[in-house]
Amino acid sequence: MAFILKVTSLLTITLVLLLSEITSIVVVARHVQWSSATDQKKSNIHNNDHLVSDLPGQPSVDFQHYAGYVNIDETIGRTLFYWFYEAWSVPDEKPLVLWLNGGPGCSSVGYGATQEIGPFIVGTDGKDLQLNPYSWNREANMLFLESPVGVGFSYSNTTSDYDNLGDDSTANDTYAFLHNWFKKYPLYRTRTFYIAGESYAGKYVPELAGLIYDRNKDPNLFINLKGILLGNPETSDAEDWKGLVDYAWSHAVVSDETHQTIRESCDFSSNNTWSNNNCSQAVDEVLKQYKEIDIYSLYTSVCIPNSAYSDDKSQVMLKKTTSKMMPRILGGYDPCLDDYAKGYYNKPEVQKALHVSDGVQLKNWKICNMDIFNGWSQSKDSVLPIYKKLIDAKLRIWVYSGDTDGRVPVLSTRYSLNSLGLPIKRAWRPWYNQKQVGGWVQEYEGLTFATFRGAGHAVPIFKPSASLAFFTSFLLGESPPSHR
Ligand SMILES: *[C@@H]1O[C@H](CO)[C@@H](O)[C@H](O)[C@H]1NC(C)=O
Ligand SMILES: *[C@@H]1O[C@H](CO)[C@@H](O)[C@H](O)[C@H]1NC(C)=O
Ligand SMILES: *[C@@H]1O[C@H](CO)[C@@H](O)[C@H](O)[C@H]1NC(C)=O
């Protein structure tokens, strides 16, 4: 039985494994002990019209999955698309995890579900789906949401809805989505709930968690949120920028002179720093060098567009900005991988199976919507104040960082977290997966920070087995393995 795992942007490594070996690999990772149910109890969801039953190219599996629209506002026709995979076994005893990708404007289905942590990875032919043995629905019921409207299949019939999209409206809509989704899935209404995401979702996830925390004061609105998990997250603009330029310099992407100019002329905590020409020219030089390589994975070869990939996307997509605003860079990935997903999700039979169209009047699915990215109207400078609130509320907060990402590099995350000034509970040390150092971990009072050694921006693409093991530790609330 062959499983294809996409490991890097260009490399596709075929792992030919016997079924027994797969079982052993996955079992090596510690599993959360879900009571003693021995029978693989199936879903208790009945008669749900969003059940996906005939998805083209899908490998056969033992779990159920559901996809479709949940309306946010029926009068104006605003609706969000989700894809929900129940856990491989005993879904009733496992938590519910919402996964969000960033952009802003990028799809959690195109990235999270079908390139990173979902059970079905889109094949390089854009036709087949391959089973991902390290899917996170081994350990949790996984809900992927395309948000806000305009992303992926999500849309609004009121065009003015697209005009003022920002962090707050996205959090509001996602919050409304959750309540309406629970109406369709009442079994999950009181389930232990976590929110996870990467990149620009570094803003979405704490913002949504903060909103849930505030609204939970009303018992009728209570959602059983226990924690958040963030990967290479945009967190605080000033620290993120400082980390980006320092990382570029320390990884030999720019010269000493360019870095020195940045040190002398940039003040990233001031929105006016971009009106200083010396600063903005030096930062442009950093981004210019990053256009030559893959900013999201420094040591991966770039996708050289050929006739099969006609989209002329540059690696570093910058938002045009007035000199007073922080320029924003898309939290995106490799265009070669992205086009496989585009091919798959625009197939009539696929859209029909996922309940997004009748298979005749097709929706035009893209992995990232650049209009949303360019038009983003409101972004919080920093979500660190929300971290403080969530730490005080004793939510579990874990932050991880692939250490070969130049976009939201490990330095950005360290600068951000250091500024919280949290006391150290367990000091810096390696954590292990399959007898190798997966990365390093430091536990603070109220927050756990870990690195993934040799992983780019979208960590699970590079380190699928270590990611699943780490996710399992997060769900257990136990430190990642500290022995070989
Ligand atoms: C949007 O409009 C189309 C065409 O009238 C309709 O079929 C669809 O149900 C509407 N969507 C929502 C969410 O109301
Ligand atoms: C979000 O919802 C709150 C409460 O309903 C409302 O006051 C606020 O204006 C909304 N924000 C946006 C940007 O929609
Ligand atoms: C910008 O750089 C030039 C050349 O190094 C220098 O002469 C000038 O003083 C700098 N301007 C500012 C505002 O720092």
Side-chain angles (χ1 to χ4, degrees):
M1 194 176 278
F3 288 88
I4 315 286
L5 277 184
K6 274 180 267 170
V7 174
T8 68
S9 309
L10 278 186
L11 279 181
T12 300
I13 296 181
T14 308
L15 300 175
V16 181
L17 301 168
L18 294 173
L19 200 55
S20 60
E21 287 169 341
I22 290 161
T23 314
S24 64
I25 284 177
V26 175
V27 171
V28 164
R30 294 167 313 155
H31 279 253
V32 180
Q33 293 302 308
W34 311 109
S35 78
S36 60
T38 44
D39 60 326
Q40 303 263 301
K41 194 149 64 76
K42 294 280 177 51
S43 173
N44 279 323
I45 300 174
H46 298 298
N47 302 323
N48 189 306
D49 59 352
H50 282 179
L51 179 68
V52 180
S53 50
D54 48 4
L55 185 63
Q58 186 209 297
S60 100
V61 288
D62 276 346
F63 58 84
Q64 314 270 41
H65 58 114
Y66 303 82
Y69 286 110
V70 164
N71 289 339
I72 304 304
D73 187 327
E74 262 156 35
T75 56
I76 62 174
R78 188 191 302 169
T79 193
L80 296 179
F81 176 76
Y82 74 92
W83 197 346
F84 175 52
Y85 309 85
E86 283 202 301
W88 285 50
S89 62
V90 284
D92 288 350
E93 295 174 25
K94 291 180 180 164
L96 174 66
V97 177
L98 172 69
W99 172 271
L100 299 171
N101 282 89
C106 296
S107 162
S108 309
V109 166
Y111 287 121
T114 47
Q115 293 187 25
E116 300 183 60
I117 56 167
F120 310 131
I121 303 288
V122 177
T124 51
D125 57 1
K127 291 195 187 103
D128 277 340
L129 295 173
Q130 273 114 28
L131 201 59
N132 172 11
Y134 304 106
S135 173
W136 287 14
N137 80 326
R138 292 260 180 198
E139 299 294 347
N141 299 285
M142 296 297 305
L143 175 58
F144 295 85
L145 174 68
E146 293 193 316
S147 118
V149 288
V151 175
F153 291 125
S154 296
Y155 70 92
S156 174
N157 280 340
T158 304
T159 46
S160 61
D161 267 8
Y162 297 113
D163 294 344
N164 288 303
L165 294 173
D167 287 10
D168 287 348
S169 64
T170 299
N172 278 2
D173 282 359
T174 307
Y175 184 78
F177 164 85
L178 283 174
H179 280 291
N180 291 342
W181 188 86
F182 285 133
K183 284 184 200 143
K184 202 164 175 70
Y185 297 87
L187 275 175
Y188 286 91
R189 183 71 189 78
T190 54
R191 193 67 56 90
T192 297
F193 180 58
Y194 298 99
I195 314 170
E198 74 189 17
S199 194
Y200 195 78
K203 299 262 174 89
Y204 294 156
V205 171
E207 286 163 349
L208 176 63
L211 187 56
I212 291 173
Y213 174 74
D214 291 342
R215 301 285 171 84
N216 270 356
K217 283 159 196 149
D218 178 347
N220 296 319
L221 294 177
F222 186 81
I223 294 175
N224 196 10
L225 176 67
K226 295 290 190 202
I228 59 175
L229 176 64
L230 300 135
N232 292 66
E234 289 190 43
T235 304
S236 170
D237 294 348
E239 277 80 12
D240 288 349
W241 271 109
K242 183 167 156 41
L244 189 149
V245 298
D246 287 356
Y247 186 89
W249 173 65
S250 62
H251 286 70
V253 175
V254 291
S255 67
D256 294 343
E257 291 72 23
T258 295
H259 187 244
Q260 184 63 24
T261 305
I262 291 172
R263 276 218 296 242
E264 282 164 9
S265 58
C266 294
D267 171 10
F268 294 118
S269 60
S270 153
N271 274 346
N272 290 326
T273 195
W274 307 106
S275 43
N276 177 329
N277 277 338
N278 288 4
C279 170
S280 62
Q281 279 168 17
V283 171
D284 279 351
E285 172 62 19
V286 175
L287 299 177
K288 184 175 155 222
Q289 296 310 321
Y290 268 137
K291 277 191 178 147
E292 298 292 316
I293 60 171
D294 186 349
I295 189 174
Y296 304 104
S297 173
L298 256 60
Y299 306 108
T300 300
S301 303
V302 293
C303 174
I304 307 297
N306 58 30
S307 51
Y309 310 112
S310 52
D311 274 16
D312 187 22
K313 289 190 227 167
S314 73
Q315 284 288 324
V316 183
M317 283 181 275
L318 257 184
K319 177 184 165 33
K320 284 187 217 75
T321 161
T322 63
S323 60
K324 289 221 168 89
M325 280 170 67
M326 290 272 180
R328 215 178 36 243
I329 315 171
L330 187 70
Y333 314 84
D334 170 45
C336 281
L337 282 184
D338 298 350
D339 284 352
Y340 308 142
K342 189 168 163 183
Y344 186 77
Y345 290 114
N346 284 317
K347 286 184 191 308
E349 324 83 74
V350 171
Q351 294 199 357
K352 209 173 159 194
L354 295 176
H355 310 114
V356 295
S357 79
D358 56 8
V360 181
Q361 300 278 95
L362 298 186
K363 298 250 174 0
N364 180 13
W365 187 92
K366 287 183 285 200
I367 197 145
C368 292
N369 182 335
M370 293 311 289
D371 293 336
I372 290 186
F373 175 72
N374 290 318
W376 202 249
S377 67
Q378 178 253 337
S379 176
K380 282 194 173 51
D381 294 345
S382 170
V383 289
L384 291 172
I386 306 179
Y387 273 56
K388 287 184 188 148
K389 178 162 98 175
L390 301 177
I391 290 168
D392 288 346
K394 305 240 180 301
L395 291 190
R396 184 177 304 157
I397 305 176
W398 283 33
V399 182
Y400 63 87
S401 178
D403 67 7
T404 62
D405 176 26
R407 173 61 191 87
V408 187
V410 65
L411 281 184
S412 298
T413 303
R414 293 172 94 166
Y415 293 151
S416 289
L417 297 182
N418 286 343
S419 77
L420 289 169
L422 299 170
I424 295 168
K425 199 164 75 183
R426 280 186 74 187
W428 188 263
R429 63 188 186 283
W431 66 272
Y432 297 89
N433 181 60
Q434 296 179 340
K435 298 190 171 14
Q436 299 292 332
V437 172
W440 283 265
V441 59
Q442 176 142 295
E443 284 158 77
Y444 299 91
E445 297 289 348
L447 186 147
T448 294
F449 169 65
T451 68
F452 276 78
R453 190 169 62 95
H457 189 66
V459 169
I461 293 181
F462 302 90
K463 301 285 174 188
S465 154
S467 296
L468 177 62
F470 187 80
F471 179 59
T472 304
S473 297
F474 168 76
L475 295 175
L476 284 163
E478 288 177 4
S479 312
S482 52
H483 301 284
R484 280 187 200 275

